Amino acid sequence: MSTQEHLNPPTRTPESVRASSWPDVQAPIAPCEDKRIEQLGRTRNDEFAWMQFVPELGTRTMENLPQRLQTHLQAERSYAQQMLAPLEASTDAFYRSMASHVQSAEHVPSTAMSGWTYTVDASAASGRKLFLRKHSDGRVQPLVDEAERAQGHAYYRATDHQQSPDDQFFAWAEDLIGNDRHRICVLDMRDGVIRVIVPEDAFGYGGLTFSPSSRDLFWIWRDAQSRPSRLYRSAIDEGDAVLVHEEHDPALFMRVARTSADGFVALTLFGPDTSEVRLIAASDARASARVLRARERGVRYEVNEWDGGLIAITNAEGATDRQILRLAPSDLRSIGTLVPHRLGVPIIAVVPFVTTLVRLERVEGLHRLVLLQRDGREIPIVFDDPSYVLELPPGQRWDATHVRIVHQTLAQPPRWLDVRLSDGQITETGRESWSGLEPDRYRIERLTAVADDGVAVPITVLSRKDMAGDVPGPLLLTGYGAYGIAYEPVFSLPALAWVDAGYRYAIAHVRGGSEKGHDWYQGGCRELKRNSMTDFIACARYLNDIGYTTRTQTVAYGVSAGGLLVCGAANMQPGQWAGVIAQVPFVDMLNTMSDADHPLVPLLRPDWGDPLADPVAYDAMAAISPYENVPVADYPPTLCTAGLKDDRVPYWEPAKLLANIRRRSTSGAPALLLLNPESGHQESDQQEQLFLQAARFWAFAQHCADASSFRR
């Protein structure tokens, strides 16, 4: 493909499609059935509650749904397919724009252990990853071929890949069903034999680690409500799993990992405002865990090793954006401050080395790396990009002379950089390469919108450098704004495919995330959640005002809690959007947070509030929950996705929302549900499927922007 073809892919919607706007197809009509709910002296009517189905045993499938529900969801799938059929040419063009870039095999090197360097090859035609290792003597050993592992399964996603400290074993968790319940596999790298250590119901996101001796595997089990609630230890050479800790508080999650010097296995129990760490010494991996500091509401902390002792990264003593303390080895009390608290400069991550304590923090919304020497000297590492992301890969050698970091932007693929710990000198050791990609052809801007209450909201904008700044055009605006999770502007081939078509892509860094510290997070929580949505609207208006787009060309896009954000913003200002795309959206907020049996509800009450006990929380949710607040108005075209096996944000949330939109919208615009019977909250991680999903979204967004003037 030539440069000119790459920058101008043939993705425009055909004239015949634009002229007719949307196909004349009758949408499924969901019957309304009264279900009056009395709660805290308030009454609501959940007329589409009949769509909810939880099987007594096993996983949801299309076959075990009640017949009426099965018929309705099949009709939804057929309707969406018919409505999107005219966009197949555009979908294919967007897909080809992404797939035309072929990834090279030279990427993702990790620090060498015992002469071995672990790498990942994602360049295979299958679109799946091949994990392998290379020895300094030239030997290459394949470890895990995910294309081979995925054969015969409708769904496959793997996570938490890691080698043992002695370089004899390689472990990973894999989901073969789509319900986020994993099995754990261990490869003996000496003879190539793979054993399934945990056959089912394991938790695979920070849910497994080898013991420092490499003889045991610690892993986390999910209960019937899919909540991580037990830590087990299994011997690598077989034997029954041994229960290490069982957590009875449903408001806490679990994470297990080794400390940096391999002195301990650390079990961290945590929620939005509470944590507790239990340590198991490397000298006796089969001993009971030692509690460092008993859980206390409002206090969160993490523990690691450095400079001959333990350190805590914590918000204790009012350090909302965290500080780093030394701990006494005898009673683990604080004996000094290594890094003091600085308001608005959150400490994101810490990686200790023998000589240096490396921390990743955020200053004015941008990442900064700091090398703290044992004598107290600090070396800051910053980059000139207007917007970028830094990551600290796990599993780095304690005695290394360099820290490995990953640098990327929306247009620049990840680069692996070694930063010398003694002086901060940077050496590039590898990069992810894609054929035909020219990062210098793109412009990345960091802009600022002003919210209704005067707060400055950051925006990251990606466009082509050859685009005129004063000519408005289609713009995709995305955001998240929840759980204190920052929306990082990571490299994205789908975003580039959208921009290559001559459009703009923007991220609204709204309150509820952590882009500007803990206060930014709290400013979009509970009764202040409305701020996230009004921030998002303010960003859209600002991009309209500066001439980048218009309200009839702006499409909103959000995932999960980002779906709550964009659908809430659409309810507040339906005329601001040409279209809305909500991927597995959390939109039945009030009903879900009133479901005490939901696996995430107890954990997330500090973020959203408790409508079962707190009238203020109930009223705040009732005022913004997207399902209950669809206005009688010209609603924009809306596309939602759902995974039938999703137990985080179940399919009925978007299904109920769309039924209510169809009932109340006066525009005649489509409201579509793309339901995947084989997936959960996440799609299978095969590259082809991810690209195809993004291509469908972009074709829908493009048609919304092209057809909005016809609709309005």
Side-chain angles (χ1 to χ4, degrees):
M1 176 179 287
S2 70
T3 299
Q4 188 62 29
E5 289 174 326
H6 168 62
L7 290 176
N8 296 281
T11 54
R12 288 286 183 183
T13 305
E15 289 295 333
S16 59
V17 175
R18 288 206 300 272
S20 60
S21 187
W22 298 97
D24 184 14
V25 180
Q26 178 63 46
I29 303 300
C32 297
E33 295 184 0
D34 287 343
K35 181 182 179 180
R36 299 202 174 274
I37 301 170
E38 300 283 344
Q39 197 169 321
L40 298 178
R42 292 144 173 82
T43 302
R44 66 183 185 274
N45 188 15
D46 186 1
E47 296 173 303
F48 299 111
W50 64 268
M51 294 186 185
Q52 179 173 340
F53 171 68
V54 179
E56 291 185 11
L57 296 172
T59 301
R60 271 187 300 270
T61 66
M62 292 298 289
E63 291 71 30
N64 68 12
L65 295 175
Q67 186 58 54
R68 179 174 67 156
L69 180 58
Q70 181 185 125
T71 299
H72 177 72
L73 292 180
Q74 291 286 23
E76 289 281 15
R77 298 182 70 200
S78 176
Y79 172 65
Q81 183 179 20
Q82 292 178 73
M83 293 297 290
L84 296 176
L87 306 184
E88 288 181 1
S90 296
T91 299
D92 182 63
F94 276 117
Y95 175 81
R96 286 187 286 105
S97 178
M98 294 176 233
S100 66
H101 302 292
V102 179
Q103 188 174 357
S104 77
E106 298 291 330
H107 81 295
V108 199
S110 67
T111 43
M113 308 285 276
S114 305
W116 290 104
T117 298
Y118 292 81
T119 70
V120 183
D121 179 358
S123 64
S126 67
R128 293 196 180 274
K129 297 174 182 177
L130 170 64
F131 290 79
L132 49 93
R133 66 176 184 172
K134 301 177 181 179
H135 198 271
S136 56
D137 62 12
R139 285 177 290 159
V140 177
Q141 181 181 6
L143 302 176
V144 182
D145 184 343
E146 291 194 348
E148 182 179 295
R149 303 288 300 174
Q151 286 183 4
H153 300 289
Y155 181 96
Y156 184 87
R157 176 179 280 268
T159 186
D160 276 21
H161 303 82
Q162 56 190 274
Q163 65 269 19
S164 61
D166 65 0
D167 280 314
Q168 293 187 13
F169 304 102
F170 192 79
W172 68 95
E174 57 186 21
D175 178 3
L176 307 179
I177 298 174
N179 60 358
D180 273 347
R181 303 179 79 91
H182 297 81
R183 70 179 185 181
I184 299 177
C185 305
V186 174
L187 165 70
D188 188 328
M189 294 186 282
R190 297 167 298 182
D191 58 18
V193 174
I194 295 176
R195 291 182 47 236
V196 178
I197 299 291
V198 184
E200 59 186 1
D201 294 335
F203 180 66
Y205 303 103
L208 63 141
T209 192
F210 286 99
S211 64
S213 69
S214 303
R215 301 278 70 82
D216 298 286
L217 187 77
F218 289 87
W219 57 274
I220 293 172
W221 173 80
R222 303 187 77 152
D223 62 20
Q225 286 74 42
S226 292
R227 188 177 64 85
S229 57
R230 294 179 189 167
L231 177 69
Y232 284 97
R233 183 188 67 250
S234 293
I236 299 298
D237 58 1
E238 299 188 1
D240 294 335
V242 177
L243 179 64
V244 177
H245 175 75
E246 182 168 11
E247 181 53 50
H248 297 286
D249 186 346
L252 294 180
F253 246 47
M254 307 176 77
R255 179 174 62 242
V256 65
R258 297 190 309 277
T259 52
S260 292
D262 277 346
F264 301 89
V265 171
L267 171 65
T268 303
L269 309 166
F270 64 97
D273 62 354
T274 308
S275 64
E276 178 180 282
V277 176
R278 295 170 176 246
L279 291 182
I280 302 168
S283 57
D284 189 358
R286 304 187 177 190
S288 299
R290 178 187 183 187
V291 178
L292 268 75
R293 171 175 176 157
R295 62 195 69 172
E296 177 184 346
R297 185 73 179 268
V299 176
R300 290 194 62 177
Y301 69 100
E302 302 169 14
V303 173
N304 218 315
E305 300 176 85
W306 190 59
D307 196 19
L310 291 174
I311 60 173
I313 305 95
T314 179
N315 68 346
E317 302 168 358
T320 55
D321 285 315
R322 306 212 294 179
Q323 59 183 333
I324 304 178
L325 306 175
R326 289 186 184 272
L327 302 180
S330 55
D331 56 10
L332 304 177
R333 61 185 171 82
S334 172
I335 56 173
T337 301
L338 278 170
V339 180
H341 172 247
R342 292 149 300 155
L343 186 63
V345 183
I347 298 173
I348 300 169
V350 172
V351 177
F353 295 87
V354 171
T355 62
T356 308
L357 183 64
V358 177
R359 73 177 184 270
L360 181 64
E361 60 189 26
R362 200 184 300 273
V363 179
E364 297 297 328
L366 296 177
H367 283 158
R368 179 174 72 173
L369 198 72
V370 181
L371 314 179
L372 173 63
Q373 311 299 324
R374 284 189 294 187
D375 61 7
R377 181 170 51 95
E378 290 194 341
I379 304 172
I381 308 295
V382 296
F383 294 82
D384 294 333
D385 310 86
S387 181
Y388 61 91
V389 179
L390 299 181
E391 298 176 29
L392 288 165
Q396 304 207 36
R397 289 187 57 174
W398 165 249
D399 59 353
T401 58
H402 296 72
V403 57
R404 173 70 48 80
I405 68 173
V406 184
H407 169 277
Q408 61 188 304
T409 73
L410 276 170
Q412 170 65 60
R415 299 185 297 142
W416 283 263
L417 309 175
D418 274 358
V419 182
R420 194 159 62 193
L421 295 172
S422 60
D423 58 9
Q425 179 177 313
I426 298 175
T427 303
E428 182 175 312
T429 60
R431 64 169 57 206
E432 189 176 287
S433 299
W434 295 84
S435 63
L437 180 65
E438 300 178 63
D440 290 342
R441 294 184 176 274
Y442 301 97
R443 177 186 296 110
I444 297 175
E445 300 171 275
R446 188 79 163 183
L447 307 177
T448 302
V450 178
D452 293 345
D453 58 0
V455 170
V457 184
I459 310 172
T460 302
V461 179
L462 174 69
S463 61
R464 284 174 16 194
K465 284 183 178 178
D466 63 354
M467 290 180 63
D470 57 351
V471 178
L475 182 144
L476 193 82
L477 180 63
T478 186
Y480 190 73
Y483 310 125
I485 298 174
Y487 199 131
E488 305 290 11
V490 297
F491 173 71
S492 171
L493 272 179
L496 293 179
W498 174 257
V499 168
D500 284 342
Y503 310 143
R504 289 186 173 88
Y505 180 93
I507 302 170
H509 301 282
V510 301
R511 279 174 281 187
S514 61
E515 284 87 341
K516 297 173 76 171
H518 183 77
D519 289 350
W520 195 250
Y521 161 42
Q522 291 296 301
C525 282
R526 297 175 299 279
E527 66 277 4
L528 299 178
K529 185 59 195 173
R530 177 180 290 271
N531 286 340
S532 302
M533 300 168 185
T534 55
D535 285 357
F536 194 73
I537 293 169
C539 290
R541 287 176 173 166
Y542 175 75
L543 293 167
N544 293 175
D545 292 343
I546 64 174
Y548 275 12
T549 187
T550 66
R551 66 181 184 85
T552 61
Q553 295 173 298
T554 306
V555 177
Y557 168 53
V559 180
S560 194
L564 168 72
L565 173 73
V566 300
C567 292
N571 284 348
M572 291 178 182
Q573 294 288 334
Q576 176 61 59
W577 316 101
V580 175
I581 302 169
Q583 186 177 339
V584 291
F586 175 41
V587 287
D588 194 11
M589 181 188 194
L590 181 57
N591 286 314
T592 294
M593 291 307 299
S594 298
D595 179 5
D597 293 328
H598 189 287
L600 294 179
V601 163
L603 173 72
L604 300 178
R605 281 174 179 150
D607 285 279
W608 304 109
D610 183 2
L612 292 172
D614 182 358
V616 174
Y618 184 105
D619 292 342
M621 290 186 201
I624 63 171
S625 182
Y627 166 52
E628 288 89 351
N629 288 281
V630 176
V632 177
D634 278 3
Y635 213 83
T638 304
L639 172 64
C640 293
T641 72
L644 187 64
K645 300 173 183 178
D646 191 348
D647 63 2
R648 290 192 237 174
V649 183
Y651 69 88
W652 60 78
E653 294 209 21
K656 290 165 65 176
L657 171 72
L658 294 171
N660 208 21
I661 289 174
R662 290 176 192 148
R663 182 174 60 162
R664 302 180 67 81
S665 175
T666 57
S667 68
L672 309 178
L673 178 65
L674 286 178
L675 175 68
N676 187 341
E678 302 298 336
S679 74
H681 199 60
Q682 302 178 93
E683 293 286 331
S684 177
D685 59 0
Q686 185 178 24
Q687 180 178 284
E688 179 182 2
Q689 294 186 33
L690 298 176
F691 283 178
L692 182 58
Q693 182 182 62
R696 289 196 186 103
F697 291 164
W698 292 181
F700 176 83
Q702 181 190 63
H703 185 56
C704 288
D706 283 345
S708 61
S709 58
F710 174 86
R711 173 173 57 84
R712 296 180 192 280

